[in-house]
Amino acid sequence: MDPRIESHAELLVDHCTDIDRGDMVGVNAPAVAEPLEVALYEKIGERGGIPVGLSLPTRAVRAFAEAVDADDFETPAHALAFLEACDVFIGIRGGENVAEMSGMDPEDMQAFAKVNEPLQDAQMNTEWVGTQFPAPGRAQKAEMGTDDYQDFVWSAIDKDWAEQREFQAQMVELLEAGDEVRIVAGDETDIRMRTGDNPVKNDDGRTNLPGGEVFTAPIPDSVDGSVRFDKPVLSQGREIEGASLEFEGGEVVAHDADQHADVLAATLDTDDGARRVGELGIGMNRDIDRFTYNMLFDEKMGDTIHLALGRAYDDTVAPDNEQNRSAIHKDMIVDMSEDSYIEIDGDVVQRNGTFVFEDGFDDEL
C-alpha cells in the first residue's frame, strides 16, 4: 500500500478525530476510495473503535431522486438513526464522475437538500471529518494527470499541522480583536460585514482534511455591498461561472451569473437562509496553489477568501447572536492575489494576498 495512504488514515484517526475503545464510527466512502477505507478500518480497529460503512453512491442517489416525485421526498429515518448512533463520522470523497448530478432539475435537488437537512444536523453532532481520496474523476476535472493529482492531494494533507495552526493563529487574533470586515477586489467586489463576538475558528485539518483556513460567521443582517466570485462553483453537477451577488441588510437583493444563472437562482430559493451569508473564510494553505473544482481544497487555497451562502456552523456563532439556518452551505471564492485588500475596522490586514504579519506586506503599497 502507498505509504501516503497509511499516513492519511493515521491523520484521520489521530489528528482529525480521537477514537477511543468502543466508539461507534460511521464511514462514508465511495468504491474508488477502497484503499483508504481499508487502511482506515485497520487504524480504527487498532484503537478499539467499531466502524460501520454508509454508502451513498451519487449515481444511485440520482436514480432515486429522478424516480420519486419531489413532494414525496422525506427524511430517511433509518439513515438518521444511524448517524445519531455514531460517536465519530468520517466522510471520504472520491467520485468517478464529478458531473453525475448534472441535468437534474435544480428545484428537485433543492427539495432533496431540504429533507436531508436533519442528516446534516446529526452528522454535525458527532466528532466528524471530511476528506478526499485522489480519484481519477477529480484529477480529470482538475486537468491533472492521476499521479500529479495524487501528489497535489497528499502534499496538501500530509503536512506540519502544528506549524500551519501557528501561522493561521495570527489571522485569528486580528479577527477576534475587530468587528467590521471589508473585502475589496477589483472593480466589482466591495462588501462589508460585522462579525461581532462570534468565535473565529483556526482550521488546522481537524474537521476538514486538508485544512488551512480561518473562518467565522458574520452577523446575518450586517452584510452589505456587492461581490463577484471569480472562481466557478460546482452545484448539482453544473458550473456556475461569474456569479455576482448584491446584499442589502444581510440579504441577496440581486444576483446574476455568466453561466447557469438558473442554478444560482434555485440555490438562493432553497429557503430564507440561503439568501444570507453563513460563513466568511480566509484561505491560508499555500500547498493548495491551484484551483481544482473541489471546494474541500479550493476554499483553503492561499490568497483567497470565500463566503458561504446558507448554514452557519454552530461553533462559529456566539450564544446570544443570531445563527443563520439553511439546508445549504454553498461556498463561493474570490481571488485576493492582486488588486485587492482586506480591512478590519479600517486597517488593512491583507494586501494582494500578503498578510500584515508577513514579510513583503509593505512592498505591496
Side-chain angles (χ1 to χ4, degrees), residues 36 52 116 121 123 164 192 282 311 321 323 362:
L36 178 56
V52 174
N116 284 321
D121 292 340
Q123 179 184 317
Q164 183 71 23
R192 298 173 185 264
I282 300 171
R311 172 195 295 261
N321 291 345
Q323 179 177 358
D362 292 335

Side-chain angles (χ1 to χ4, degrees), residues 197-352:
D197 59 347
N198 280 344
V200 182
K201 310 303 290 184
N202 188 339
D203 174 18
D204 62 345
R206 295 182 190 272
T207 55
N208 279 315
L209 189 65
E213 64 171 309
V214 169
F215 64 100
T216 187
I219 305 300
D221 63 2
S222 73
V223 182
D224 278 292
S226 58
V227 56
R228 179 177 174 85
F229 300 98
D230 41 25
K231 300 296 184 185
V233 59
L234 282 177
S235 183
Q236 303 158 17
R238 300 172 178 88
E239 292 179 23
I240 303 174
E241 295 268 7
S244 59
L245 304 174
E246 184 177 342
F247 290 87
E248 289 182 7
E251 293 194 2
V252 175
V253 295
H255 57 87
D256 199 3
D258 297 337
Q259 178 176 291
H260 289 310
D262 59 329
V263 179
L264 176 61
T267 300
L268 292 166
D269 288 341
T270 301
D271 48 39
D272 291 342
R275 289 182 170 268
R276 304 202 297 179
V277 177
E279 179 192 352
L280 162 65
I282 300 171
M284 299 182 69
N285 186 338
R286 291 195 172 125
D287 282 317
I288 303 174
D289 57 2
R290 60 185 293 168
F291 184 77
T292 61
Y293 293 88
N294 183 346
M295 195 57 69
L296 181 64
F297 287 75
D298 297 337
E299 68 175 359
K300 285 95 173 185
M301 185 166 50
D303 309 338
T304 66
I305 66 97
H306 57 277
L307 301 176
L309 293 171
R311 172 195 295 261
Y313 295 125
D314 293 349
D315 58 357
T316 63
V317 181
D320 294 332
N321 291 345
E322 180 186 0
Q323 179 177 358
N324 196 45
R325 299 189 181 278
S326 175
I328 69 163
H329 181 93
K330 182 59 65 178
D331 293 296
M332 307 174 80
I333 295 172
V334 179
D335 184 353
M336 301 294 290
S337 62
E338 59 184 31
D339 194 20
S340 68
Y341 58 89
I342 300 173
E343 286 182 353
I344 298 178
D345 292 342
D347 294 326
V348 177
V349 299
Q350 188 201 60
R351 187 183 294 113
N352 299 330

